[in-house]
Each structure stands twice: as C-alpha cells, then as structure tokens.
Amino acid sequence: AARRLLVRRGPTRRLGTAPPPPPAGATLRLFGYAICPFCHVVRSAARYTKTPIALTEVNPLTKAEIKFSETHRKVPIAVFDDGSVIVESAAIVDELLKRSPPSEEFASPAARKWAAWATGELAPMVYPNITKTYGECRRALAYADEAFGPVDAFLVKHVGALGMSLAHGKIKKKYNIEDERAALFDKLATWEARIGDRPFRGGDAMDLADVAVHGVLGAVAGLLARDDV
C-alpha cells in the first residue's frame, strides 16, 4: 500500500542519506540488478526515449548502494538530475515519457494494458527460468565479477546463488507454475498471438508494450533461458 501511494504521488525525495545524483551528461541514475526484468523495462524505455542514464549495480546481499532509501528497499530506484527520487518501474517510465513525450499511439490505453501485462505476467516468469539449478543461479550472478570487488563478488555468486536456488520452488508455487519453461513459452505465445503478422504490437512502429516486453526479455540476456527464447 505504501508503494502504491508513492507511485501515485510521483517523484518522492527520501529522508536520510542524500542519494548520489546522476553524473554529468546523464538525466538519471538507475539503481538496479543486472537480472531484474523491471530494471530492464526502465532501461528499455530510456533507450527508446534516448534518455542518457547511468547504471549503478546494487549488491543484492547488502543493498548498500540504496542506503539512502530508508523505506523502499527494492529496485529499480531512479534519481533524476533535478533531485527527484522515483521508485517502481511503471512510475519511472511515466516520468521518462513525461520528459520526452511520445505520440499518443505509443502510450495508448491498449499499449499501457499490454505493458502492464509484460510486468505483471511475463516478468514473473524470469526468476524461475534463470534459477532452475544452483549452476544456473551462479551463471545468472556472474555479472558480479565486474560489478563489485572480489570479496563482494564471491559472496554474491555463492551465497546469493544459494538463496536464489532455495527460493526457486517458492516462486513457482506462488505463481502456480509446474514447468517454468512451458509457463514462459505460454506467455510468449500469448504475446506473439497479440502481435500477429505486424512488425510490432503497435503496428508498423513499436509502442509502450513492445518496449516493456523488450525490457523484460533483456533480463535473461546471455543465459540459458535466452537461448530457448
């Protein structure tokens, strides 16, 4: 309920430690995880709107990078160049579109409906499909070698992978998933049926839903699930 209230209020500045602003030349600093589909939706929207962003990888074990956010401890979190702090992917994307207004067709009610489908139904399929085994969890967290120092990277890849592996069954149960690949393919079949013979769901040009689906699938780049997709 608190998160929904924050989204309705739009830009919200947090109390406590001041959030690090985006560097020169960037419109926003995005705090997230390399394998977070919701973070990738924001990145996809920023790419579409040609908004320069700076990425700050958050340590999933300590979350030290977002210590400035005392009440909201989930990613993505965006810090804009005017000092506003916005949480939740949908609210961040709305802010990007407000700053770089697209055509009415791009963010039509239908496009928003399917963008919500992407984050509400397709995105939950990502986690169980990249955590099927401990080895796959390790592979999903391999980005830690470049994102953190050697000690933190070791902990993220081993302790983090163990936690992800243990949570695999709980996530499947939460979303009533028996076969994670079949569930993912089912969602993709729904998406393909909606597109039909058109280049994009939006027709000849992509719309917000296309951007959202592109973002969600970006979270599995370089992983076994992406090969199957």
Side-chain angles (χ1 to χ4, degrees):
R3 291 196 297 271
R4 290 195 295 270
L5 179 61
L6 290 173
V7 170
R8 287 198 296 270
R9 287 182 175 178
T12 304
R13 188 183 297 275
R14 296 279 176 246
L15 300 177
T17 304
T27 300
L28 70 96
R29 183 186 294 275
L30 183 66
F31 295 84
Y33 304 140
I35 55 175
C36 166
F38 306 100
C39 301
H40 278 273
V41 167
V42 174
R43 293 172 62 174
S44 185
R47 182 176 175 182
Y48 177 83
T49 58
K50 297 180 177 164
T51 303
I53 67 174
L55 303 175
T56 295
E57 197 65 38
V58 176
N59 186 315
L61 300 181
T62 66
K63 297 186 178 181
E65 294 78 9
I66 56 173
K67 61 183 178 181
F68 63 87
S69 182
E70 297 179 341
T71 59
H72 189 89
R73 302 295 291 166
K74 295 182 179 180
V75 297
I77 298 176
V79 179
F80 281 82
D81 53 6
D82 62 1
S84 60
V85 181
I86 302 180
V87 302
E88 305 285 2
S89 59
I92 300 171
V93 170
D94 279 345
E95 180 66 16
L96 288 171
L97 298 183
K98 184 171 72 174
R99 292 172 179 239
S100 300
S103 65
E104 292 185 6
E105 293 79 12
F106 178 84
S108 67
R112 287 187 175 277
K113 171 187 173 182
W114 281 93
W117 173 88
T119 54
E121 295 195 35
L122 180 60
M125 299 299 108
V126 169
Y127 189 93
N129 273 283
I130 65 175
T131 59
K132 292 175 64 177
T133 66
Y134 177 74
E136 288 191 46
C137 294
R138 284 280 309 277
R139 182 172 176 176
L141 295 173
Y143 70 88
D145 285 327
E146 296 183 2
F148 311 113
V151 175
D152 283 344
F154 177 87
L155 292 173
V156 167
K157 288 190 301 179
H158 291 80
V159 178
L162 178 59
M164 290 174 68
S165 180
L166 293 175
H168 175 79
K170 295 180 180 179
I171 298 299
K172 288 181 63 174
K173 183 177 181 180
K174 177 181 178 179
Y175 291 101
N176 195 28
I177 296 172
E178 292 187 8
D179 183 316
E180 51 278 295
R181 280 293 197 275
L184 173 61
F185 294 160
D186 182 63
K187 297 299 182 184
L188 293 176
T190 297
W191 175 245
E192 288 189 332
R194 184 66 186 86
I195 295 175
D197 295 329
R198 298 172 296 179
F200 302 100
R201 198 223 71 90
D204 291 331
M206 68 184 77
D207 65 11
L208 183 60
D210 293 297
V211 170
V213 170
H214 172 269
V216 169
L217 296 181
V220 298
L223 304 177
L224 294 178
R226 181 59 175 262
D227 296 339
D228 287 347
V229 169

